[in-house]
Amino acid sequence: MEDRETNSQPLLAATPSPEGPHHQISAAAAIFSAESSDIPLITTPKDFFTQFFIESKKLWYLAGPAIFTSISQYSLGAITQLLAGHVGTLQLAAVSVENSVIAGFCFGVMLGMGSALETLCGQAFGAGQLDMLGIYMQRSWVILNTTALFLCLLYIFARQILRAIGQKAAISEAAGVFAVWMIPQLFAYAMNFPIQKFLQAQSRIMVMAWISAAALVVHTVMSWALMLKVKWGLVGAAIVLNASWWFIVLGQLAYIFSGTCGRAWSGFSIKAFQNLWGFVRLSLASAVMLCMNILGWTVMVSFGMNAAVSVRVSNELGAAHPRTAKFSLVVAIITSFLLGLVMSLVLIVFRKQYPALFSSDTQVQDLVVKLTPMLAFCIIINNIQPVLSGVAIGAGWQTAVAYVNIACYYLFGVPLGLVLGYILNLGVLGIWSGMLSGTILQTIVLCIMVYKTNWNKEASLAEDRIKKWGGHTDSKAGET
C-alpha cells in the first residue's frame, strides 16, 4: 500500500492546467471539464454548499445512469427466475440456485477483476492519456476471458458442487444442466465489465443505460414467449438470458468501434499482451475487494454511487486535481448517507405492511418485522461502505483494501456471526449481526485510510501509475 500521510493543506485554488493539442472529449463528459483547476478556497458555508451543488451534479450525472444500468442488468436474471416459477417448482429452484451460487459467484469475480480498469482508465482519462484506455480494456479482456476458461469448471461440475454443499439431488441435477447451458453468459461477463469501465471512465454512461434498457425489454418479452408460450422451459430461459447478455456486449462494442470514442479506441494492439502479470495482480485484488458487496436489489443504488465516485476520483487524480478528488469523496459520502437514511426510514415506517408483499406466512412476516431495524441499519452502512470502496478503486488502493476486506469480513465478521448465531443460539439475528459487524469494521478502517490520505501525493502517484502501465508523458494533467 502506498504511503498516505495526513494532508493538512486547505482547499486552495490551483493554477489551471493548459489543454494539450489533442482536446477530444464527448459532449457527455463536457460537464466535467468546465473547470480545469482544483476547486477554489472554501471559507464560508455558502462556499461549501455552492461547491456541493456543483459536485453533486457531476456525481449524479454518472450515478443516475449507472444505477439504472445496474438495475437493468440485474433484472435479466431476476425476470428469468420469476418466470421459471411459472414453469414449475423444480425449475424455479434450479434457476435460483444457479443464479445465486454459480453465476452469482462468477459475476462477482468478473465484476471485481474488471474494476481494476476503474483506476487505470479513470486516471489515464483525467491525465489526457486517451490512447491508453483501449489498451487497458484489451488487457482486461485477455485476463478475464482466460479466467472464464477456468471458471467454466464451476459450470461443468455444478451438479457435483451443489450436492457437496448439501443441495437436494433433484435440484442439483436440474441446476447442473442449466449451468452448462449458461456458459456463454460467463464469457459475456468477461467482455462486458471491461467495456463498462472503459466507457465509465469517459463519462459515456447513457449509452450503457440505453442498451441495457433495450436488452431488458426484449429479454422480458422473449423469456415470456419461449419459457411459457412455446414451453421450452429452462432451455428457453438459457437461450434468452445468454442472448440478452451478448446483446449488451455487442451493442456496446458497436458503439465503441463506430469511432465515437476518438483516441480512446484506435483498434486492436499487441500492447494488450504487455505487463499482463502486473495487470493480473491488480485485477485479483479488485476481485477480492468487490466480491463481498454483491447483495442484490438493496445495493443497486450504492453500486451506482460506487462507480460514479470511482470515476470522479480517478479522473481528478489523473488530472492532478487532488482537492477536487477529496471534495468529491465528501459529497458522495454525504449523499449516500442521506439516501440510505431515507430508505431506512421508509422501511421503519412501513415495517408492518411491506412483509406481506413477499410472503403470506404470518410467522415469516413477524420475523421480517423483527429484523427490520437491523435491515434499516444495514442499508445505511451498505450505502457508505461501497462509496469508500469506490474511492479506493479510483485511487488505486485495491491490494490494500483487499487485505482489509479479508481481515474484517472473513476473519472477523463471519466467525463472529457463526458464534452469535449457533453457539449463543441467536439464530438469524446473530449471524446477521456478526456479518454486519465485519462490514462496520471495514467502514471504520476505510474511513481511517481516507482520513490519513495525502491527496497531493495520490495525484503524483496517479501520474507514476499511468507511466508504469504504458502511458506517455507529453500529455498534461487536465487535458482531455
Side-chain angles (χ1 to χ4, degrees):
M1 178 176 67
E2 295 108 330
D3 180 33
R4 285 182 288 280
E5 300 168 354
T6 302
N7 181 13
S8 59
Q9 298 182 1
L11 296 174
L12 299 175
T15 303
S17 300
E19 291 183 352
H22 307 293
H23 184 66
Q24 296 185 13
I25 187 168
S26 67
I31 186 174
F32 303 108
S33 60
E35 299 177 357
S36 58
S37 64
D38 250 341
I39 62 174
L41 176 66
I42 296 176
T43 58
T44 67
K46 181 180 178 181
D47 292 340
F48 176 83
F49 286 111
T50 298
Q51 292 301 321
F52 188 94
F53 178 72
I54 294 172
E55 180 61 33
S56 292
K57 288 197 299 182
K58 296 178 181 180
L59 201 62
W60 276 108
Y61 187 89
L62 295 167
I67 291 170
F68 180 81
T69 300
S70 296
I71 291 175
S72 297
Q73 294 184 2
Y74 183 87
S75 296
L76 296 178
I79 288 174
T80 299
Q81 188 170 318
L82 176 66
L83 293 176
H86 293 277
V87 176
T89 303
L90 179 61
Q91 288 77 8
L92 171 61
V95 173
S96 300
V97 169
E98 193 277 337
N99 268 344
S100 60
V101 179
I102 306 300
F105 174 78
C106 293
F107 180 95
V109 171
M110 291 297 180
L111 175 61
M113 295 186 72
S115 293
L117 289 190
E118 291 190 40
T119 302
L120 300 176
C121 284
Q123 293 184 358
F125 181 82
Q129 305 271 346
L130 301 185
D131 51 305
M132 290 306 301
L133 271 65
I135 303 299
Y136 293 152
M137 179 172 65
Q138 292 173 61
R139 286 179 190 167
S140 192
W141 279 341
V142 173
I143 293 169
L144 265 65
N145 277 283
T146 302
T147 303
L149 289 174
F150 290 99
L151 291 177
C152 278
L153 296 175
L154 296 180
Y155 286 72
I156 294 171
F157 296 103
R159 179 179 63 83
Q160 292 88 338
I161 293 172
L162 293 173
R163 284 294 292 149
I165 63 177
Q167 190 57 258
K168 294 181 180 179
I171 296 177
S172 297
E173 183 68 32
V177 173
F178 183 65
V180 173
W181 276 90
M182 291 308 303
I183 288 178
Q185 182 192 51
L186 174 61
F187 289 92
Y189 290 163
M191 296 296 293
N192 179 63
F193 295 127
I195 293 172
Q196 286 192 340
K197 307 312 175 185
F198 169 85
L199 293 173
Q200 283 176 2
Q202 305 168 69
S203 305
R204 299 176 183 271
I205 308 294
M206 286 306 300
V207 63
M208 296 191 300
W210 283 112
I211 292 173
S212 296
L216 179 59
V217 172
V218 174
H219 176 83
T220 302
V221 175
M222 293 305 299
S223 294
W224 173 80
L226 293 186
M227 294 176 67
L228 301 184
K229 289 300 179 181
V230 183
K231 299 187 182 303
W232 282 8
L234 292 184
V235 173
I239 291 173
V240 178
L241 193 52
N242 284 322
S244 297
W245 273 98
W246 276 102
F247 173 85
I248 292 173
V249 171
L250 295 177
Q252 293 173 151
L253 286 177
Y255 176 82
I256 294 171
F257 293 165
S258 67
T260 53
C261 294
R263 284 197 297 123
W265 176 259
S266 55
F268 293 96
S269 172
I270 194 66
K271 291 183 179 179
F273 295 93
Q274 298 175 0
N275 296 323
L276 277 179
W277 176 238
F279 218 89
V280 167
R281 287 186 296 173
L282 183 61
S283 297
L284 290 175
S286 298
V288 173
M289 196 183 86
L290 286 184
C291 271
M292 292 176 296
N293 294 327
I294 308 297
L295 302 177
W297 296 103
T298 59
V299 295
M300 289 301 105
V301 173
S302 59
F303 263 25
M305 195 63 69
N306 172 288
V309 73
S310 175
V311 171
R312 292 291 299 126
V313 169
S314 60
N315 281 181
E316 296 299 340
L317 288 178
H321 301 158
R323 288 178 291 279
T324 305
K326 184 177 181 179
F327 191 75
S328 180
L329 159 66
V330 173
V331 173
I333 289 178
I334 294 175
T335 302
S336 292
F337 172 76
L338 293 176
L339 285 172
L341 187 61
V342 170
M343 289 187 287
S344 297
L345 289 175
V346 170
L347 281 179
I348 294 294
V349 171
F350 296 100
R351 64 186 181 278
K352 294 184 179 179
Q353 287 78 30
Y354 82 87
L357 298 175
F358 302 95
S359 176
S360 57
D361 190 316
T362 56
Q363 290 184 330
V364 173
Q365 292 179 16
D366 291 341
L367 179 60
V368 172
V369 171
K370 180 181 178 181
L371 292 174
T372 294
M374 176 68 78
L375 175 60
F377 182 59
C378 186
I379 288 175
I380 294 176
I381 297 299
N382 280 322
N383 258 40
I384 297 175
Q385 195 269 351
V387 172
L388 296 171
S389 293
V391 173
I393 293 171
W397 307 341
Q398 282 94 331
T399 301
V401 178
Y403 288 129
V404 170
N405 286 358
I406 291 174
C408 295
Y409 194 80
Y410 287 111
L411 299 184
F412 175 74
V414 173
L416 178 61
L418 295 176
V419 171
L420 294 176
Y422 294 103
I423 298 179
L424 299 182
N425 295 318
L426 296 180
V428 175
L429 186 61
I431 296 173
W432 200 352
S433 297
M435 296 173 69
L436 182 58
S437 297
T439 303
I440 293 174
L441 183 58
Q442 278 179 289
T443 304
I444 293 173
V445 174
L446 290 174
C447 284
I448 294 173
M449 290 174 62
V450 169
Y451 176 76
K452 293 177 67 64
T453 294
N454 184 326
W455 292 96
N456 290 326
K457 186 171 184 178
E458 290 298 327
S460 177
L461 290 172
E463 181 180 356
D464 295 340
R465 188 177 292 113
I466 293 168
K467 294 176 184 178
K468 174 182 177 181
W469 295 107
H472 45 83
T473 60
D474 57 349
S475 293
K476 301 295 184 183
E479 177 191 48
T480 47

